[in-house]
Amino acid sequence: MQGNKLKNYLHLHFIVFIWGFTAILGALISIDAVPLVWYRMSLAVVFIAIYFFISKKSFKVDKKGLLKFVFSGIIIAIHWVTFFKAIKVSNVSVALVTMSTGAFFASLIEPVFFKRKIKPIEILLGLLVIVGLYIIFNFQSEYTLGIIYALISAFLSALFAVLNGLFIKKYDANVISFYQLLFGALGITLYLLFTQKFSIQFFQISVNDWFYLIILSSICTAYAFIASVYVMKYLTPYTVMLTINLEPIYAIILALIVFGEKEQMSVEFYYGAFIVLLVVILNGILKNTSLIKNKFKKK
């Protein structure tokens, strides 16, 4: 059991690295956030459906499950739209470090759904993330709009993680992912129809954008989405959210390599990012220490 947890924890880190690359793709793709997310979710649904047919998996789910997936699918769609908006109006580094507040939001939301007391250490670690962000944005105030979009995205990400922590107890990760992406894509489709945003130009995508969208929807969405839901069988939503805080670290390194000077920030920014990384490491140490103590108590 302990080995299984470690395996899934390492798998989660690999998924988070992929999500860090997602931000790079979001910056490279030239289309706006809403159509970007529509293409991402729609193509991902196709890829997962193909996987279902090849592996002969069932699409069956009860009506209550469908309603749950409609709600959570819309949440993930809005989360991604605000996430890519944050990148478009600021940059990868600003958007992703702000997203680290998701751990703080998760520490407040999770106890409500899982009916447990709020742990002081979770609040403390969440507040440390806030301190890191304060240090960063006290010197990078020109990115205010990007910060707002990223904060909204972080809250929705935390809510989504907590909900999936509940869903995975009853439903298969593949089924959850398929229907959430499907309903998220349908939700954006209705929005685009209502606002009359569908046009010939909407479907005129450059070859480069198509290439990046394929990678984004297959590896960074279809695979990573299913895998992230699966690991929640073994890890708590709070641990998942704190580990996701490593996403900005991976993404910042990748962004500096890909975009160079555009992503270079002030020294204070990196001080704040260091605090975020320190919180993630500290959480891992505390969680592992707790698991080891429980193991010896059982013996």
Side-chain angles (χ1 to χ4, degrees):
M1 185 68 178
Q2 191 76 15
N4 214 10
K5 281 184 177 291
L6 177 61
K7 177 184 174 182
N8 283 281
Y9 189 67
L10 292 174
H11 191 189
L12 176 61
H13 275 275
F14 177 65
I15 296 165
V16 172
F17 177 80
I18 290 175
W19 282 337
F21 190 67
T22 296
I24 305 300
L25 291 173
L28 288 171
I29 296 171
S30 63
I31 59 178
D32 195 30
V34 175
L36 192 161
V37 175
W38 184 83
Y39 276 106
R40 178 186 188 178
M41 299 187 90
S42 300
L43 289 170
V45 168
V46 173
F47 284 122
I48 295 177
I50 292 171
Y51 166 69
F52 269 48
F53 284 119
I54 293 174
S55 59
K56 297 181 180 179
K57 285 186 174 290
S58 174
F59 289 89
K60 289 183 180 179
V61 66
D62 57 76
K63 290 181 180 179
K64 285 186 178 180
L66 284 176
L67 289 174
K68 291 174 182 177
F69 300 150
V70 168
F71 177 67
S72 54
I74 297 299
I75 288 175
I76 194 62
I78 300 173
H79 154 65
W80 277 337
V81 168
T82 50
F83 171 65
F84 286 118
K85 277 280 189 183
I87 291 174
K88 298 289 186 184
V89 300
S90 55
N91 63 23
V92 172
S93 301
V94 170
L96 282 174
V97 173
T98 309
M99 283 289 295
S100 300
T101 55
F104 177 67
F105 290 128
S107 70
L108 299 176
I109 298 170
E110 184 183 326
V112 176
F113 287 89
F114 282 79
K115 297 179 180 179
R116 67 165 177 81
K117 292 181 179 179
I118 297 176
K119 296 177 182 178
I121 188 63
E122 294 179 351
I123 297 296
L124 177 61
L125 293 176
L127 288 173
L128 283 174
V129 171
I130 301 297
V131 171
L133 289 173
Y134 175 78
I135 293 172
I136 292 168
F137 298 120
N138 196 36
F139 297 92
Q140 306 287 166
S141 58
E142 68 268 27
Y143 296 119
T144 301
L145 185 58
I147 296 168
I148 293 171
Y149 276 127
L151 283 172
I152 294 170
S153 185
F155 172 78
L156 293 174
S157 178
L159 178 58
F160 177 72
V162 171
L163 289 174
N164 272 356
L166 293 172
F167 298 161
I168 196 63
K169 294 179 180 179
K170 185 177 179 181
Y171 303 100
D172 179 72
N174 301 283
V175 172
I176 294 172
S177 301
F178 174 78
Y179 283 107
Q180 285 178 335
L181 290 168
L182 174 63
F183 289 126
L186 289 175
I188 296 178
T189 300
L190 290 175
Y191 166 77
L192 291 169
L193 287 171
F194 183 76
T195 55
Q196 298 181 335
K197 293 290 179 68
F198 278 125
S199 63
I200 295 174
Q201 288 75 21
F202 184 91
F203 297 99
Q204 291 178 338
I205 307 294
S206 69
V207 175
N208 280 343
D209 280 348
W210 270 119
F211 175 72
Y212 294 137
L213 282 168
I214 295 294
I215 296 174
L216 178 65
S217 58
S218 58
I219 298 172
C220 300
T221 307
Y223 161 72
F225 203 86
I226 291 173
S228 67
V229 175
Y230 176 78
V231 298
M232 287 183 185
K233 282 185 175 181
Y234 306 95
L235 304 171
T236 67
Y238 179 74
T239 297
V240 171
M241 284 307 303
L242 263 184
T243 306
I244 288 173
N245 283 339
L246 274 175
E247 184 180 342
I249 308 302
Y250 296 142
I252 288 168
I253 294 171
L254 288 169
L256 285 170
I257 295 171
V258 176
F259 300 113
E261 291 184 4
K262 183 183 177 182
E263 287 291 331
Q264 288 182 4
M265 309 294 284
S266 67
V267 175
E268 290 78 13
F269 175 90
Y270 296 107
Y271 286 153
F274 173 76
I275 291 175
V276 172
L277 176 60
L278 184 64
V279 169
V280 176
I281 295 172
L282 182 60
N283 175 68
I285 293 171
L286 292 173
K287 294 285 182 180
N288 287 331
T289 302
S290 176
L291 286 170
I292 292 169
K293 284 182 178 179
N294 290 334
K295 185 177 180 181
F296 278 109
K297 282 180 181 180
K298 289 177 181 178
K299 288 183 178 180

